[in-house]
Amino acid sequence: RSSDNRQMRSNGGMNVFSSFRPLTAVAELFAAFERGIPNRAQRGLYGGKQIGFGNSVSFSNKKTRRTWKPNVHAKSLYSETFDANIRLRVTTSVLRTIDKYGGVDNYLLKTDDDKLDSELGSRLKAHLIEHIRCVQAGVKPPPLPKEASPVGK
């Protein structure tokens, strides 16, 4: 069986694959393929919204599988800290939450990383905190991430 990359070796009468993965790596692999979380959600503020799955039921009670996608819009949101409009992909529920918190800066600062549920959101939050610290220290702040580039500047 030299055709596959795994080579078996004998270990006290038991065959063990030489290229085994630890249990945590396997768990991370399965977590990466969790159903309903689009990769696109990592590049915007989706607020934990996922793809919904279910059935369309006709009058004759015939069931057809379908999906419900999050209501995502590309919006230009004003950041008081960066003093710029930032173009982001956001869901309508996140837009309501941003209004509730009084702006995108407050939303990012007050929301936990688990609730942000995106790489871009976590990076923006880190940049926002770093920007505030640099302004307080009188140092030039770092630039914004490429995905959230300012609009009109």
Side-chain angles (χ1 to χ4, degrees), residues 41-54:
Q42 299 302 317
R43 293 177 276 158
L45 299 177
Y46 280 40
K49 295 295 179 186
Q50 300 176 359
I51 298 174
F53 298 92

Side-chain angles (χ1 to χ4, degrees), residues 37 49 67 76 92 98 123 152:
I37 300 175
K49 295 295 179 186
T67 60
S76 179
T92 52
I98 289 171
R123 255 187 292 146

Side-chain angles (χ1 to χ4, degrees), residues 102-119:
V104 69
D105 296 338
N106 290 334
Y107 170 73
L108 290 170
L109 290 173
K110 292 179 181 179
T111 307
D112 293 334
D113 285 336
D114 295 338
K115 293 275 186 174
L116 285 176
D117 201 24
S118 76
E119 293 173 10

Side-chain angles (χ1 to χ4, degrees), residues 16-92:
V16 179
F17 285 109
S18 62
S19 62
F20 76 97
R21 293 184 183 188
L23 189 59
T24 56
V26 174
E28 289 174 6
L29 181 68
F30 282 114
F33 292 106
E34 188 174 336
R35 185 175 178 186
I37 300 175
N39 288 336
R40 191 169 295 172
Q42 299 302 317
R43 293 177 276 158
L45 299 177
Y46 280 40
K49 295 295 179 186
Q50 300 176 359
I51 298 174
F53 298 92
N55 293 321
S56 289
V57 182
S58 67
F59 178 76
S60 64
N61 207 26
K62 181 177 180 180
K63 294 167 185 70
T64 307
R65 294 299 286 174
R66 65 155 293 179
T67 60
W68 286 269
K69 294 183 181 174
N71 190 5
V72 181
H73 298 277
K75 288 287 182 182
S76 179
L77 302 169
Y78 180 72
S79 170
E80 294 173 355
T81 306
F82 297 124
D83 192 30
N85 285 326
I86 302 174
R87 190 122 174 110
L88 296 170
R89 301 180 105 141
V90 293
T91 59
T92 52

